[in-house]
Amino acid sequence: GDSVTQMEGPVTLSEEAFLTINCTYTATGYPSLFWYVQYPGEGLQLLLKATKADDKGSNKGFEATYRKETTSFHLEKGSVQVSDSAVYFCALSDPSTGNEKLTFGTGTRLTIIP
Amino acid sequence: NAGVMQNPRHLVRRRGQEARLRCSPMKGHSHVYWYRQLPEEGLKFMVYLQKENIIDESGMPKERFSAEFPKEGPSILRIQQVVRGDSAAYFCASSPRPVGNQPQHFGDGTRLSIL
């Protein structure tokens, strides 16, 4: 079945540091890939997405590129801020299943210190 | 706010009681997904519903759990005879179509605690 493997956390960085959170996937079809962010006590918010190979999703300074050859979708940001502290989830949906149910990684808790 | 609305935000039940969780999708969305998040874990898919139909319940426990999405009113996730292991955050998400790369919009969740 489909699965998502995500970099273990927690991750602690200083403000303005470079961020990478690794994500790899296994899917039988041609999935769409997503990064969601969860702030304390809240639901998930879509951060960015990519729907086909070599697509780059970007939002709020975050980027991720759909790499079919390495089945990866790593999240990057050049200069993190304290407000980026949250839990980040990599996810996929496989349209060949007939619906858009999401398969999530276990999440990476990111803490940015001033 | 026209987002996905879940209530209650927090629900406390004793073992053996019933829990009912409600989800009103975004306006214009007729597809609802339920997910469960255990402490310090990712979200796990439970069930996918359209109006009056259960489309995919492959993630639902076989016993005690049921879901519905009636023609009128919110989607309901029902847990009968709750046990401690049901303690989790339950999230609902909605989308306008079944497929087509439409991102799901999530509610803020219901945090269920079993005493």
Side-chain angles (χ1 to χ4, degrees), chain B residues 35-53:
Chain B
Y35 297 86
R36 176 166 64 176
Q37 184 179 32
L38 294 171
E40 302 301 318
E41 293 189 14
L43 281 72
K44 303 288 188 191
F45 167 78
M46 299 182 75
V47 62
Y48 162 48
L49 311 102
Q50 296 176 24
K51 285 282 188 182
E52 300 184 277
N53 286 301

Side-chain angles (χ1 to χ4, degrees), chain A residues 41-99:
Chain A
E42 298 184 10
L44 276 69
Q45 301 174 26
L46 178 67
L47 181 60
L48 52 85
K49 68 171 186 175
T51 57
K52 61 183 186 297
D54 300 325
D55 268 3
K56 178 185 282 188
S58 61
N59 185 27
K60 300 181 181 178
F62 290 90
E63 292 183 340
T65 301
Y66 190 144
R67 300 286 188 200
K68 192 168 184 290
E69 64 276 13
T70 54
T71 61
S72 65
F73 194 54
H74 305 321
L75 182 68
E76 296 182 336
K77 186 174 185 181
S79 176
V80 292
Q81 306 300 314
V82 172
S83 58
D84 294 327
S85 298
V87 181
Y88 291 81
F89 292 95
C90 186
L92 69 81
S93 68
D94 187 348
S96 68
T97 64
N99 66 66

Side-chain angles (χ1 to χ4, degrees), chain A residues 32 34 36 38-46 49 51 87 89 93 95 97-107 109, chain B residues 9 33 35 37 40-45 48 55-56 58 91 95 97-109 111:
Chain A
S32 296
F34 306 86
Y36 280 86
Q38 184 180 34
Y39 298 101
E42 298 184 10
L44 276 69
Q45 301 174 26
L46 178 67
K49 68 171 186 175
T51 57
V87 181
F89 292 95
S93 68
T97 64
N99 66 66
E100 297 276 17
K101 66 183 178 185
L102 291 164
T103 300
F104 285 91
T106 53
R109 183 176 299 278
Chain B
R9 288 295 305 276
Y33 301 78
Y35 297 86
Q37 184 179 32
E40 302 301 318
E41 293 189 14
L43 281 72
K44 303 288 188 191
F45 167 78
Y48 162 48
I55 306 302
D56 182 348
S58 58
F91 290 95
S95 69
R97 286 185 288 278
V99 292
N101 302 319
Q102 298 298 311
Q104 294 174 24
H105 296 262
F106 282 80
D108 286 342
R111 278 135 185 97

Side-chain angles (χ1 to χ4, degrees), chain A residues 41-43, chain B residues 6-11 108-112:
Chain A
E42 298 184 10
Chain B
Q6 289 188 250
N7 65 82
R9 288 295 305 276
H10 300 274
L11 181 61
D108 286 342
T110 293
R111 278 135 185 97
L112 176 64

